[in-house]
Amino acid sequence: MSGGTTLENANPVIFQRSGERLLADTDADEDVHDPIDDREIFDLIRSINDPEHPLSLEELNVLEQVRVKVNDAESSVDVQFTPTIPHCSMATLIGLSIKVKLLRSLPERFKIDVSITPGTHASEEAVNKQLADKERVAAALENSSAGGGQPVPRQQEHLSSQSALSSRAFTDSSANRV
């Protein structure tokens, strides 16, 4: 944050990142059906940066693999995230950045639901309603990066600051992950 703005959570607890996913020989074989699973989705979103801190959502324990549920056969993805404090004003921005990352990364057949972990935010119902608002999500998907108006390539999406909310520029810190 810049220019004397007070952080809502100035001293967040930092968690250790989980290890990299070990790939099996069949993962590289294009002839073998490889359904999308919980870990693959977690790997897509774990490195999104927090809007207030230079840390990933995984490092702040906002995202945990146990809160990612995928049913490849039914083409559904459900992600719950846990804000670091119960009155986090960035909850909608964080949820939208997760949803936009998944919408840009997954095949269109997937129904993606992103919500706050029940009981972890004072305005849980209002934030979840905003995250389910198709117009709000569509606006987030349509927006370009703040610099130059060029569309942000899928692989370069990442969330960096509160200014992302006002300009609705959504981006991702994992340039080589898919």
Side-chain angles (χ1 to χ4, degrees), residues 1-3 7-8 12 21 36 45 83 86 89 103 106 108 115 139 151-152 166 173 178:
M1 305 245 22
S2 62
L7 298 176
E8 287 185 12
R21 180 182 184 148
I36 294 174
I45 59 178
S89 65
L103 286 168
L106 293 173
E108 289 184 20
S115 61
V152 178
S166 60
S173 65
V178 175

Side-chain angles (χ1 to χ4, degrees), residues 106-168:
L106 293 173
E108 289 184 20
R109 68 181 173 93
F110 279 92
K111 179 190 180 303
I112 299 165
D113 184 36
V114 176
S115 61
I116 289 184
T117 305
T120 63
H121 194 275
S123 301
E124 174 186 332
E125 187 176 323
V127 172
N128 286 340
K129 185 176 179 180
Q130 291 176 5
L131 295 175
D133 182 341
K134 290 180 182 181
E135 289 180 15
R136 182 178 293 262
V137 173
L141 279 168
E142 288 176 7
N143 285 307
S144 302
S145 64
Q150 295 297 316
V152 178
R154 226 180 231 191
Q155 298 295 319
Q156 295 177 3
E157 306 165 74
H158 100 187
L159 175 61
S160 61
S161 70
Q162 175 62 31
S163 65
L165 180 60
S166 60
S167 67
R168 289 190 176 149

Side-chain angles (χ1 to χ4, degrees), residues 44-70:
L44 280 171
I45 59 178
R46 68 192 261 190
S47 60
I48 295 173
N49 287 334
D50 181 82
E52 286 191 314
H53 302 284
L55 300 166
S56 72
L57 296 180
E58 178 187 22
E59 290 169 315
L60 292 171
N61 215 35
V62 171
L63 285 173
E64 299 174 89
Q65 185 178 340
V66 297
R67 301 206 183 283
V68 175
K69 304 293 180 214
V70 177

